[in-house]
Amino acid sequence: MSGLELNLAFEALNEGSAEERAAFGLLSMACGEQVLTEGFDHYARAFRLGPLVSGYHAAQWFAWNWWRLRWEGRSSVSDWAFAHHMATIGEGYAWPNVRIWSDGIRTALISDASVRPDAKPFRYVGAHPIVISSALFERALDEFLPKVIARLRDQSVPQTNLDKVWEEVLAERSDSEIAKRRRLEALMGRDPDSIDDDAIENLVSDCDRLGEEAVNEVAAQQGQKRAIDEKLSARFLEEVAAATGFRSSQKDVVALDIGYITLNNPNKPAWVVGSDVARLLRAQEKLGVDPVDDQLFAQMCGTSVEALTSRSISQTPISYALDDARGSGSRVVLTAGHHTGRRFALARVLGDRLMYRRGALFPATQGYTYRQKAQRAFAAELLVPFEALFDMLSGDYSEDGQQDAADHFGVSPMVVNTILKNRRIIERDLAGEDGLVLAA
């Protein structure tokens, strides 16, 4: 996995503030041989590795949005772009048309070409989507920002707002308690200390009951809506589980004999990890290539078949399993009212328990964290083994063919379609939200 390189080749600027002039130059971003900032410079009448901009403004944007760039996933909310799309930096420059977001383990960088073929002063040519380790992305910023600050000192520019913001970020990262809160804010789509309410403290207090990693997933779920949902508090989840959840037994849930525990792997897309675990489980349980019937599936999940056949809909926005405080019993809550949705949700919860064993809550959310993508892939492979699907379709990847396969395996057509896209049997729409990086 190649690292990200952020470079600033300094050039002269005769106007603007002292910090703007001191850090002016050609900004380039590259990963291996892929250059994300390349384009045609109208004034130079030549292709260049990047635009002429003030690195001060770029560094300040990276510093201010550091927590959200590091932890927040993609979202459709209106203000998301200001923390993730470099084109929003402003200050009168033609910034790179690059979007950046993370699933917590891997970071996606999407470089789009300029919409207008005659864009001026700089026309970006775009690049293939890049996915790197979030740790490598973090390292790139840790190298770039000090270089810009050093340049300011070399040019006799005293302490600036960039210095202040970056020093605060470094101090927050070194304090585990503050870092926990900043991560939760970022997952919720919030800037540091931007809203004065009890939402973050409530999530922190729930960590003792639910587990810190599970609470991060809850925060990411809330970030998709940019709203505080009281139905995601530990107390409410316990009340719903007790009232409408289905009884489960931890000791009866199927376990992998090899003791497989998923380690978040930056070198593997989450869908690969989830699929691998599901294949191991199918092989261990000798499931063959046939669909898993409800009775056997419920038994594997340590619950009753009623959890799959019931049409009751949970009052919460997520499906989950919640172990009791003693660690002996558990309850399963499913949100879907239709049969195929309940099967998929229960499979996700099972995968989450197998892959992420710490904590009492095993949530299946609408978020795009590495954990949620891994459990979706686990559920898809467990219910629809790829080899069996491939043989059944026999080259017919039409909507009718996918529907027939979905009916056979007891899942929705969307599950079949996603499997085929992940395996690159059918193409993804790289221009849309269903782009390559969704499965990254």
Side-chain angles (χ1 to χ4, degrees):
M1 179 179 288
S2 298
L4 176 68
E5 294 184 8
L6 283 167
N7 292 307
L8 188 62
F10 300 111
E11 296 195 14
L13 179 67
N14 297 320
E15 58 184 19
S17 64
E19 56 265 31
E20 184 172 10
R21 286 183 279 113
F24 182 78
L26 188 150
L27 177 68
S28 63
M29 301 174 65
C31 185
E33 296 183 357
Q34 286 276 1
V35 180
L36 286 78
T37 51
E38 187 175 9
F40 184 79
D41 188 314
H42 172 72
Y43 295 112
R45 296 183 179 277
F47 282 95
R48 305 185 73 171
L49 295 179
L52 290 174
V53 297
S54 175
Y56 176 82
H57 297 309
Q60 187 170 237
W61 184 82
F62 280 125
W64 177 253
N65 294 300
W66 190 92
W67 288 101
R68 292 181 65 180
L69 289 168
R70 177 61 182 82
W71 293 103
E72 187 182 13
R74 70 182 184 89
S75 174
S76 59
V77 297
S78 58
D79 64 346
W80 180 86
F82 288 99
H84 295 273
H85 195 172
M86 292 187 68
T88 65
I89 297 177
E91 305 295 341
Y93 292 102
W95 294 102
N97 199 17
V98 175
R99 292 169 289 148
I100 306 167
W101 69 83
S102 170
D103 63 12
I105 305 301
R106 289 157 64 89
T107 293
L109 298 100
I110 312 303
S111 175
D112 295 317
S114 297
V115 175
R116 292 177 57 90
D118 59 345
K120 300 174 183 177
F122 201 86
R123 175 173 57 83
Y124 291 99
V125 298
H128 290 296
I130 298 296
V131 182
I132 63 172
S133 160
S134 293
L136 291 179
F137 174 74
E138 185 176 318
R139 183 188 304 172
L141 295 191
D142 285 352
E143 294 174 352
F144 177 71
L145 273 75
K147 287 181 181 178
V148 174
I149 293 173
R151 171 68 175 182
L152 295 174
R153 298 297 95 81
D154 289 343
Q155 297 296 304
S156 301
V157 179
Q159 290 280 314
T160 65
N161 185 62
L162 169 61
D163 293 270
K164 177 177 179 293
V165 175
W166 186 233
E167 287 169 4
E168 288 178 353
V169 170
L170 292 176
E172 291 164 353
R173 288 164 58 181
S174 66
D175 186 310
S176 60
E177 285 303 311
I178 296 178
K180 179 194 298 185
R181 287 165 169 78
R182 289 289 181 261
R183 183 163 54 249
L184 288 169
E185 287 174 328
L187 288 166
M188 294 178 70
R190 293 180 166 194
D191 294 326
D193 290 329
S194 61
I195 301 178
D196 184 16
D197 60 24
D198 297 327
I200 300 301
E201 291 307 316
N202 290 341
L203 285 172
V204 171
S205 66
D206 282 346
C207 287
D208 290 338
R209 172 66 181 97
L210 305 178
E212 183 177 338
E213 293 179 0
V215 169
N216 287 339
E217 301 301 309
V218 169
Q221 164 72 19
Q222 301 201 76
Q224 290 296 308
K225 304 295 182 183
R226 289 291 195 278
I228 305 306
D229 194 337
E230 296 179 357
K231 294 181 179 180
L232 289 174
S233 69
R235 173 183 288 185
F236 191 88
L237 293 175
E238 284 187 322
E239 291 175 352
V240 171
T244 63
F246 297 90
R247 191 182 303 277
S248 178
S249 171
Q250 293 165 259
K251 65 180 179 61
D252 292 333
V253 177
V254 67
L256 282 167
D257 294 339
I258 62 171
Y260 186 99
I261 299 177
T262 295
L263 298 176
N264 292 326
N265 189 343
N267 295 309
K268 279 189 177 183
W271 75 264
V272 173
V273 172
S275 298
D276 286 348
V277 178
R279 278 195 297 275
L280 288 172
L281 183 61
R282 286 192 69 97
Q284 173 188 292
E285 298 301 303
K286 298 179 173 57
L287 298 179
V289 296
D290 296 325
V292 183
D293 65 62
D294 285 353
Q295 190 68 47
L296 175 58
F297 185 33
Q299 180 181 331
M300 292 171 61
C301 297
T303 189
S304 65
V305 72
E306 184 185 0
L308 295 171
T309 58
S310 173
R311 295 197 174 188
S312 62
I313 300 177
S314 164
Q315 300 177 55
T316 68
I318 64 173
S319 296
Y320 61 95
L322 180 62
D323 295 345
D324 63 33
R326 296 183 302 275
S328 55
S330 185
R331 307 283 289 186
V332 174
V333 175
L334 303 177
T335 58
H338 51 90
H339 182 240
T340 57
R342 296 180 80 84
R343 279 172 60 86
F344 195 75
L346 186 58
R348 287 183 64 183
V349 171
L350 173 62
D352 200 64
R353 185 182 286 280
L354 290 175
M355 293 185 287
Y356 299 90
R357 300 182 177 185
R358 290 188 294 271
L361 177 68
F362 301 93
T365 78
Q366 298 166 335
Y368 293 98
T369 64
Y370 191 93
R371 177 169 174 169
Q372 297 303 314
K373 291 188 285 189
Q375 64 172 241
R376 289 187 187 104
F378 170 90
E381 182 66 26
L382 179 67
L383 299 178
V384 190
F386 173 69
E387 286 76 10
L389 174 65
F390 187 76
D391 290 342
M392 180 181 179
L393 291 175
S394 298
D396 177 12
Y397 307 122
S398 65
E399 289 187 9
D400 288 343
Q402 293 181 41
Q403 181 66 64
D404 290 343
D407 292 341
H408 175 74
F409 288 105
V411 298
S412 73
M414 184 182 299
V415 173
V416 173
N417 185 265
T418 300
I419 292 172
L420 295 176
K421 286 178 177 177
N422 282 347
R423 299 285 182 165
R424 300 186 180 182
I425 302 300
I426 59 178
E427 292 186 359
R428 290 183 179 276
D429 176 12
L430 297 183
E433 287 301 327
D434 188 37
L436 175 66
V437 291
L438 265 75

